[in-house]
Amino acid sequence: MPTLFEKIISRDIPADIVYEDEWVVAFRDINPQAPVHVLVVPRKPLVNVAEAGPEDAELLGRVMLAAAEVARREGVAASGYRLVLNNGEGAGQSVFHLHCHVLGGRGLRWPPG
Ligand code: DGP
C-alpha cells in the first residue's frame, strides 16, 4: 500500500508543494511547528534512515541538498534553520516514509526536549 507521502508525490492527495526535483518532493507540513515548516521527501519510499543502505547514499545527500535549497527559497538561510529526521516511533516518527523537516522563521531552542 502506498504511504501517505507517496500519495502526495503522485498528486492523489493535495499538498502545498514548494520544491521538487528528480529525487525529492518538498511540501508544507499540515501541522506547522514554525513559520517555515517544510517536509523534504524522497520519491523513493524509504522508511527512515535506519532502513537506508549504501545504495541510498546519493538519495540521502540529495535530501540534504534539497533541504538547503528549500531554506534559501523560504528566506531562512541567513537567519538559520533546523533539519530534523525523526527515526522510529520513539523519536516521534509518525509517517513511515523518510522525510526531513525544515524548520525556521523563529528562534529554536537546544536541546529540543
Ligand atoms: P513525523 O512525525 O516526523 O513522522 O512527521 C510527519 C509529519 O507529517 C507531521 O509533522 C505532520 C505531517 N503530515 C501528516 N499528514 C500530512 C498530510 O496529509 N499533509 C501534509 N502536508 N503533512 C502531513
Side-chain angles (χ1 to χ4, degrees):
M1 210 171 86
T3 66
L4 170 65
F5 289 170
E6 280 177 278
K7 291 181 192 162
I8 288 177
I9 289 167
S10 64
R11 286 6 187 220
D12 289 317
I13 291 179
D16 187 359
I17 294 173
V18 298
Y19 173 82
E20 65 183 314
D21 63 26
E22 180 190 345
W23 292 87
V24 307
V25 175
F27 49 87
R28 295 192 196 286
D29 195 292
I30 204 166
N31 183 23
Q33 302 301 313
V36 172
H37 189 172
V38 173
L39 304 173
V40 178
V41 182
R43 292 182 186 276
K44 176 179 172 180
L46 198 57
V47 170
N48 56 31
V49 172
E51 300 289 324
E55 69 279 9
D56 298 309
E58 180 169 9
L59 177 150
L60 294 173
R62 294 285 178 175
V63 168
M64 293 294 108
L65 291 173
E69 178 59 22
V70 165
R72 281 190 289 273
R73 290 183 182 206
E74 294 290 317
V76 295
S79 56
Y81 55 92
R82 184 168 293 165
L83 304 182
V84 175
L85 288 96
N86 292 325
N87 199 92
E89 221 173 309
Q93 185 174 10
S94 60
V95 178
F96 290 87
H97 180 150
L98 187 146
H99 50 281
C100 177
H101 297 256
V102 181
L103 295 149
R106 68 167 170 85
L108 295 162
R109 283 190 304 274
W110 191 262

